[in-house]
Amino acid sequence: MLELGRGAYQPARDDFWSALGGAGTDDGGAVANAAEIQKAPMAALGMFEVYAAVGLRPQALAWARGVQQAGVNLPAVTEAVGITLRRVGPLAVAKQWMQAAQQQGAYDLTLALELADVEQRLGTPQDSLATLEQTVRLNGELPNLMELEARALAGLGRRPEALARIHAAV
């Protein structure tokens, strides 16, 4: 998620808008068209993240839809949108973005942990466990992954397996 100093969000938004071919310094609440987003997907991501960072959720979601409708298939963009949506919601939409990032080839530890958390919060511990098991297969048995796996197992009522994973983690 974009983090800037106080007073830096407006200039950043203006720069992103300009990079998207926007006239003037005010986007007027508009989302760039698909062709502009395709030419400058990182600027569109910047617009999304600026709005999310300052708490303007409707505008952030509008930019996420714009990126999606433009057909941007860059794992770095898709992953960043998903992870940011995990913080600003809605969780079901965040999950869709995270899964799309994985389908595009992004499968790093951070994305997997964020996705497992979203799945747990959505009340689908079986999905969360599957994500964590795949992550352990790809990254090895890291203690923090094993702890999260234990939590998912406990959430499914599989307490003996959960205890075994906790013992293995420590």
Side-chain angles (χ1 to χ4, degrees):
M1 183 174 221
L2 186 67
E3 294 183 26
L4 298 171
R6 186 179 182 143
Y9 286 99
Q10 185 70 34
R13 188 194 59 79
D14 293 346
D15 289 344
F16 291 136
W17 181 244
S18 177
L20 286 159
T25 58
D26 186 6
D27 63 1
V31 175
N33 68 44
E36 292 166 335
I37 291 173
Q38 289 170 352
K39 282 193 297 191
M42 298 310 281
L45 174 63
M47 292 293 287
F48 162 77
E49 289 190 333
V50 164
Y51 283 123
V54 298
L56 296 172
R57 188 172 182 241
Q59 291 88 336
L61 292 173
W63 276 94
R65 279 190 302 277
V67 169
Q68 186 177 40
Q69 290 168 355
V72 174
N73 290 319
L74 299 173
V77 172
T78 308
E79 180 176 356
V81 171
I83 288 173
T84 300
L85 285 173
R86 176 188 165 267
R87 290 170 181 80
V88 300
L91 291 177
V93 176
K95 181 180 178 179
Q96 292 170 354
W97 280 89
M98 291 176 179
Q99 289 174 326
Q102 288 179 330
Q103 291 168 359
Q104 294 167 3
Y107 204 94
D108 61 55
L109 186 59
T110 301
L111 175 61
L113 293 176
E114 300 267 357
L115 176 57
D117 176 67
V118 165
E119 291 166 335
Q120 193 72 28
R121 290 168 55 193
L122 285 170
T124 56
Q126 189 63 46
D127 292 345
S128 179
L129 179 60
T131 297
L132 292 167
E133 288 173 342
Q134 180 179 6
T135 304
V136 167
R137 282 193 300 279
L138 293 173
N139 294 283
E141 292 192 339
L142 302 172
N144 64 336
L145 284 175
M146 295 165 74
E147 177 190 350
L148 292 170
E149 236 183 329
R151 289 181 187 192
L153 286 165
L156 291 168
R158 295 163 55 184
R159 298 198 190 291
E161 292 173 79
L163 286 173
R165 289 310 280 166
I166 285 293
H167 287 292
V170 295

